[in-house]
Amino acid sequence: MSNVDLTAKIPNNVDLAQDKRLLRALEQWQPNYLAWWKDMGPHGFQEKDVWLRTAIAVDAEGWAHFDYVKMPDYRWGIFLADPVADRRIGFGDACGGPAWAVVPGEHRNVLRRLIVTQGDTEPASVEQQRLLGHSAPSLYDLRNLFQVNVEEGRHLWAMVYLLHSQFGRDGREEAEELLQRRSGNPDKPRILGAFNAPIENWLDFFMFTMFTDRDGKYQLLALAESGFDPLARTTRFMLTEEAHHMFVGETGVERVVQRSAELMRQDPNGDVRAQGGIPLDVIQKHLNLWFALSLDLFGGEISSNAASYFAAGLKGRAYEDKFSDHSALHESYRMPVVKQGKLIEEDVPLRNAMNEVLRDAYVDDCQRGVDRWNKRLEEAGLPDRLRLPSKRFYRHIGIYADLPFDPDGNLVGGPASPRREANAEWQRRRGEWLPSADDKAYVASLQKAVRQPGQIANWLARPARGIKGLPFEYEYVRLD
Ligand code: BYC
C-alpha cells in the first residue's frame, strides 16, 4: 500500500511533500476551497460535531476512520488507489500499450474537459443540498447527508489534484473556476443539467443519491478504465466512497416506500396522505423526474465525442474486462431513433453508441433498486408497484430531447405532434408524470426537522440498522 501522510496539511498518499511546487499550488487553493465550503456547504451546521467517516488509507480493509468532526475540520485529502504494475491500456486504438503516467499532449484538452466536467458535479451537489439539514427527518439522516457532502468535497479535491499536477496553469485556472460556478445560477451555472436542478426536499435528496450518484458510479467506472493512469487510480478510490452515497439513496427511498405502505394499511381507506405519509404516485413522479434528469448525464445516444474518448483510450466501458472485443470497431448497437415523427430501429457503430452502452448498464442497476422497493410493497400485501419510465421520457439531451414521450416511451399525440413544450396534451398530462405544484407543496409540508436521537419523521421508516454497528438512537450529530 502507498504510504499515507496523515500529519500533512493536506493528507495524501501521493508523496506531496516531495513536490514543492505542487504542494504550494494546492496549499494556495486550500483556503479558497474552505471559503467556498463555509459559504456554500451545509448551512447552519458548520460548528456542530458530526460523527463522520474520514478516508485515511486506500486498502479495502480499514480505509476509513469514524469520529466526531466539525465539518470545516474534515481532513480532505488526496488518495489514489495503489498502482497496478505494468498497467496497459485496455481498449481503443492504443489497446495493449502502456498506460500513461503523465497526460499525453495530444489528449490534453479532452482530458482536461472530462476532469473538469467530473469535478464540477462534486461542489454542485453540495450546493444543491445546502439547506436540507434544516429539515432532516432524523439525526441518522442528517449525519448521512453531511457524510455525502464532505465526501463530494473530497471528490472535488481528487479532480483538483489532477488539474494541478498535470495541467499547469490551465489546470490551476480550472480549479479556481470550479469554486466560482454555482448550481442553479443562470449567470454561472454548473456544467451539467441535473446539477442545476433544485433539491428541495428529502425525497428529492434520496432520489438524487439513488439515481444521480449512480450516474456518478458509472461515469467513474468508465473513467477508472482510462489509459491515463492517475485518472484511473483516482476514480477507483472515489468509487469506494461513492458506494455509501448510493446506499443512502436506495435505502432512503426504500424507507419512504416502506412507511407509505405501513400508513396505507393503517388507514381504513388506504389513504397515505390522511396519515401524513407520501403517496406512492408522488414517489413515482419524483422517481420519474430524477431518473430522466440522470439519464441525460450520460450524454447523447449517438456521440462522436464518446467514440473519440473510446478510440483514444481515455474513457472505456464499465468493467471493460468483461467485453471480449476491446476495439469496438466491428459491432453496432441497434437503437430506436426518431425519423419523421416515428420510432425506427437503426444500427449505430458501437463506438458512437458508447454513452448508450454505459446508460444501459446504469438502467439495469437502477432496476435492481426498484425491484428491491417493490419487494417492500409486495411484503406489505399491496398490489402497487413502482417502475422506471422509458429512457425516452422527459429527456433534455440526445436524440429524444424535448420530444413528447410519455413514461411508456410513446409519442404523445402521434407522429406529427408538436415538441414537448408546445404539446398541449403532454402539458395537460404533465402533472400525472412529474411532481406538480400540489405534490411539491404537500412534500414540503412534511419537511420538519426531527432532532431528538432515536426519533424519526412520520413519513419515513427507521433504517434497519445504524452506522458502523451503532444503534439508530445514537447521537450522530450533536446539536447542542
Ligand atoms: N447537461 O456527445 P454528447 C457524479 C453536452 S455524476 C449539459 O452528447 P458526451 C456525481 C456535452 O458536454 C458523473 N450538457 O455527450 C453525482 C457536449 O457539449 P459540447 C459526472 C451536456 O460528450 C452525484 C454536448 O452536450 N461525471 O460524479 O459524449 C453527486 C454533446 O455531447 C449534458 C461525468 O460526467 C448534460 N447532461 O458526454 C456528485 C464524466 N450531456 O462538446 C457527483 C465526465 C452532454 O458540444 N463527462 N452535454 O460543448 C463525460 O464523460 C461527458 O462529458 C458526458 C457527456 C458523459 C457528460
Side-chain angles (χ1 to χ4, degrees):
M1 188 190 73
S2 341
N3 279 337
V4 176
D5 183 356
L6 286 173
T7 58
K9 203 165 155 197
I10 303 169
N12 70 91
N13 72 344
V14 294
D15 242 347
L16 258 190
Q18 297 308 310
D19 190 339
K20 296 285 182 245
R21 269 186 72 166
L22 175 59
L23 180 63
R24 244 196 333 272
L26 284 167
E27 283 183 353
Q28 272 174 19
W29 185 79
Q30 192 174 32
N32 300 346
Y33 168 79
L34 279 172
W36 166 82
W37 177 268
K38 288 191 178 155
D39 197 21
M40 294 312 296
H43 180 265
F45 295 88
Q46 299 279 348
E47 295 312 313
K48 304 296 179 198
D49 287 323
V50 187
W51 202 72
L52 290 177
R53 125 182 134 174
T54 305
I56 52 164
V58 292
D59 51 343
E61 296 305 314
W63 62 272
H65 171 74
F66 288 75
D67 206 347
Y68 282 107
V69 179
K70 293 190 189 357
M71 284 183 276
D73 300 334
Y74 187 81
R75 310 278 350 257
W76 284 288
I78 296 164
F79 299 98
L80 269 60
D82 287 337
V84 173
D86 189 32
R87 181 163 175 262
R88 303 268 144 184
I89 300 166
F91 57 93
D93 295 341
C95 189
W100 308 293
V102 291
V103 65
E106 69 272 33
H107 301 317
R108 191 181 161 87
N109 286 345
V110 172
L111 272 170
R112 192 184 66 202
R113 193 183 152 83
L114 284 173
I115 291 166
V116 166
T117 307
Q118 175 66 50
D120 189 69
T121 64
E122 317 289 1
S125 68
V126 175
E127 292 166 1
Q128 286 170 292
Q129 296 161 17
R130 177 164 184 264
L131 299 177
L132 286 180
H134 295 296
S135 56
S138 74
L139 287 187
Y140 165 91
D141 291 289
L142 185 62
R143 176 263 169 206
N144 281 347
L145 166 72
F146 295 155
Q147 183 69 59
V148 168
N149 291 160
V150 291
E151 286 176 353
E152 300 302 6
R154 206 205 68 74
H155 290 179
L156 171 60
W157 272 92
M159 292 300 118
V160 164
Y161 164 72
L162 294 178
L163 290 171
H164 273 208
S165 60
Q166 299 270 346
F167 295 89
R169 177 204 280 250
D170 296 353
R172 291 194 292 278
E173 284 174 7
E174 294 281 13
E176 280 308 318
E177 284 172 35
L178 286 169
L179 299 176
Q180 304 302 325
R181 286 186 285 273
R182 290 285 179 273
S183 174
N185 183 324
D187 298 328
K188 42 178 184 176
R190 292 294 175 181
I191 297 171
L192 298 175
F195 294 91
N196 290 301
I199 299 182
E200 292 174 332
N201 59 58
W202 279 75
L203 185 55
D204 282 334
F205 173 66
F206 290 143
M207 291 295 178
F208 181 94
T209 38
M210 168 72 190
F211 291 114
T212 311
D213 276 274
R214 198 171 303 276
D215 164 57
K217 168 182 169 183
Y218 279 84
Q219 296 298 336
L220 292 174
L221 281 170
L223 296 174
E225 300 289 337
S226 183
F228 178 40
D229 202 43
L231 177 60
R233 289 175 57 201
T234 308
T235 46
R236 264 194 297 157
F237 183 64
M238 289 163 75
L239 280 161
T240 316
E241 291 162 312
E242 197 69 33
H244 173 69
H245 308 186
M246 286 173 293
F247 164 86
V248 169
E250 188 168 329
T251 57
V253 177
E254 184 179 10
R255 289 160 56 215
V256 179
V257 170
Q258 204 180 323
R259 184 64 181 149
S260 297
E262 274 167 28
L263 292 170
M264 276 166 90
R265 284 160 54 103
Q266 278 172 27
D267 190 88
N269 304 315
D271 184 354
V272 191
R273 254 179 213 242
Q275 301 291 327
I278 304 185
L280 294 181
D281 68 311
V282 175
I283 299 175
Q284 178 68 58
K285 290 183 220 179
H286 283 75
L287 183 166
N288 291 349
L289 174 67
W290 285 104
F291 181 63
L293 291 175
S294 304
L295 288 176
D296 278 339
L297 296 173
F298 288 80
E301 285 70 15
I302 306 169
S303 166
S304 55
N305 285 349
S308 42
Y309 303 153
F310 190 88
L314 304 180
K315 184 178 174 192
R317 288 169 286 195
Y319 312 111
E320 183 63 45
D321 276 359
K322 286 195 189 157
F323 295 86
S324 50
D325 168 21
H326 300 296
S327 79
L329 269 178
H330 315 292
E331 291 169 66
S332 57
Y333 182 108
R334 205 168 175 75
M335 67 173 81
V337 301
V338 186
K339 291 264 162 79
Q340 274 106 41
K342 284 202 194 119
L343 283 170
I344 292 166
E345 297 272 319
E346 201 169 79
D347 287 319
V348 176
L350 187 55
R351 283 189 177 185
N352 291 70
M354 282 303 169
N355 288 342
E356 196 59 4
V357 171
L358 198 59
R359 189 162 20 230
D360 283 344
Y362 165 82
V363 172
D364 289 348
D365 201 16
C366 292
Q367 184 60 52
R368 197 196 35 72
V370 175
D371 291 345
R372 180 174 162 160
W373 303 337
N374 282 335
K375 265 245 146 33
R376 300 289 89 81
L377 294 172
E378 195 184 327
E379 283 162 9
L382 293 168
D384 315 69
R385 297 291 179 264
L386 295 165
R387 66 190 187 107
L388 295 175
S390 158
K391 286 193 285 184
R392 299 188 282 275
F393 173 69
Y394 197 54
R395 295 290 303 281
H396 294 79
I397 297 282
I399 56 176
Y400 310 121
D402 307 324
L403 294 174
F405 286 105
D406 67 14
D408 290 322
N410 300 316
L411 280 165
V412 170
S417 69
R419 295 171 81 79
R420 194 168 64 221
E421 284 314 307
N423 189 307
E425 190 184 346
W426 197 97
Q427 293 301 332
R428 190 172 50 72
R429 300 194 63 189
R430 184 190 170 106
E432 288 172 38
W433 302 326
L434 293 168
S436 64
D438 272 0
D439 297 329
K440 286 186 193 175
Y442 177 67
V443 176
S445 75
L446 302 178
Q447 307 295 300
K448 303 213 171 66
V450 176
R451 297 180 156 201
Q452 295 302 314
Q455 301 287 304
I456 191 153
N458 179 52
W459 55 271
L460 185 63
R462 286 164 61 117
R465 57 190 70 83
I467 314 282
K468 193 130 173 86
L470 292 175
F472 170 69
E473 290 76 13
Y474 192 72
E475 191 176 10
Y476 289 103
V477 184
R478 290 182 180 144
L479 293 173
D480 307 325

